[in-house]
Amino acid sequence: MVTDVRKAWTARILTLFPEMFPGPLGQSLAGKALEKGIWRLETMQIRDFAPDKHRTVDDTPFGGGAGMVMRPDVVDAALAAASADGLGPAIYLTPRGRLLTQELVGQLATGPGVVVLCGRYEGLDERVIEARGLIEVSLGDFVLSGGEPAALALIDACVRLLPGVMGAEETLDEESFTAGLLEYPHYTRPAVWNERAVPEVLMSGHHEKIKAWRQTQAEETTRSRRPDLWDAYRKRGT
């Protein structure tokens, strides 16, 4: 069954490289969901909104410095067109943005969709960020050559939360970050591999003991690997 495209969650991407999409989003679960119409992907070439014949989207920074800056007039025109129908929030992917979390992904996935601006060069003129109230989002403390790879990750994270995308919906409840913890370790056949055996509790068939073991493992993994998450988890429990 194909979902009504008028109601499908939509990712609208503003980019200088629309050929980078759908990329990996056209494969696996996201790709199958895209084919079924569970979600839609639209790309808009930012250069189409440049006023000159050379389709210029950048200029030198005031105050000097290396690199170029994306022009506010061009980007604003692109954002105006992308947001004309009121589709979701407008997100600007930048290393200085708020960290992309599972909580934010969940919020975005429950709406009608997102408008995603992929930055390039040294960044975007601050005035259009302020004027448009863009939500600045970062994947982490590192720098990419552009916003496109980050957009792929953000969209993939949202799409997998949409109804009908995941085969087993209950899987989402046990994933890392869903309850504020990292996920517990997983095991499958063979029961013994390279002289390493699967924990006996997982072979017991005792569901309550398995649940308790997984909770303990998730807590210990989070405590040892992500003290920041562990502290936040403990505060929520008090």
Side-chain angles (χ1 to χ4, degrees):
M1 175 180 291
V2 177
T3 303
D4 185 346
V5 296
R6 293 171 297 178
K7 298 180 181 179
W9 189 88
T10 301
R12 187 170 294 152
I13 314 299
L14 302 181
T15 174
L16 296 177
F17 300 97
E19 61 273 13
M20 294 180 70
F21 299 90
L25 294 174
Q27 306 297 318
S28 190
L29 293 175
K32 293 178 181 178
L34 186 61
E35 291 180 357
K36 293 179 180 179
I38 295 177
W39 71 288
R40 300 177 62 193
L41 176 65
E42 301 174 0
T43 59
M44 299 177 67
Q45 170 58 263
I46 298 174
R47 292 190 185 280
D48 291 344
F49 298 89
D52 65 319
K53 65 179 182 180
H54 299 294
R55 306 174 78 202
T56 306
V57 299
D58 61 314
D59 209 329
T60 55
F62 283 116
M68 305 291 278
V69 177
M70 297 182 75
R71 293 174 52 115
D73 53 343
V74 177
V75 175
D76 182 69
L79 285 167
S83 304
D85 60 356
L87 174 65
I91 295 174
Y92 171 46
L93 295 164
T94 168
R96 75 175 199 175
R98 61 179 286 191
L99 185 65
L100 180 63
T101 63
Q102 192 67 20
E103 180 180 6
L104 177 57
V105 168
Q107 294 172 3
L108 297 175
T110 58
V114 291
V115 174
V116 181
L117 172 60
C118 299
R120 282 278 163 174
Y121 311 114
E122 291 302 309
L124 174 63
D125 189 299
E126 186 72 16
R127 292 169 294 179
V128 73
I129 297 175
E130 296 172 351
R132 284 285 171 181
L134 300 181
I135 301 173
E136 297 180 82
V137 175
S138 171
L139 291 193
D141 297 337
F142 54 91
V143 179
L144 298 169
S145 58
E148 288 79 11
L152 292 170
L154 183 151
I155 295 168
D156 181 82
C158 291
V159 167
R160 63 194 308 277
L161 297 184
L162 301 178
V165 175
M166 295 288 287
E169 300 295 338
E170 63 271 15
T171 300
L172 298 173
D173 297 331
E174 299 182 358
E175 292 184 326
S176 290
F177 310 114
T178 300
L181 297 172
L182 298 179
E183 198 170 2
Y184 52 80
H186 296 276
Y187 299 87
T188 188
R189 294 182 179 85
V192 178
W193 174 79
N194 278 9
E195 300 183 357
R196 297 173 182 267
V198 172
E200 290 185 10
V201 65
L202 298 180
M203 312 283 283
S204 68
H206 195 297
H207 298 299
E208 289 303 316
K209 288 184 178 179
I210 292 174
K211 182 179 180 180
W213 180 87
R214 286 175 169 170
Q215 177 67 21
T216 299
Q217 291 294 313
E219 291 178 354
E220 176 57 28
T221 299
T222 305
R223 185 193 64 76
S224 62
R225 300 185 183 185
R226 290 290 303 274
D228 56 326
L229 290 179
W230 177 245
D231 288 343
Y233 175 76
R234 293 182 64 188
K235 289 178 181 178
R236 285 198 295 270
T238 57

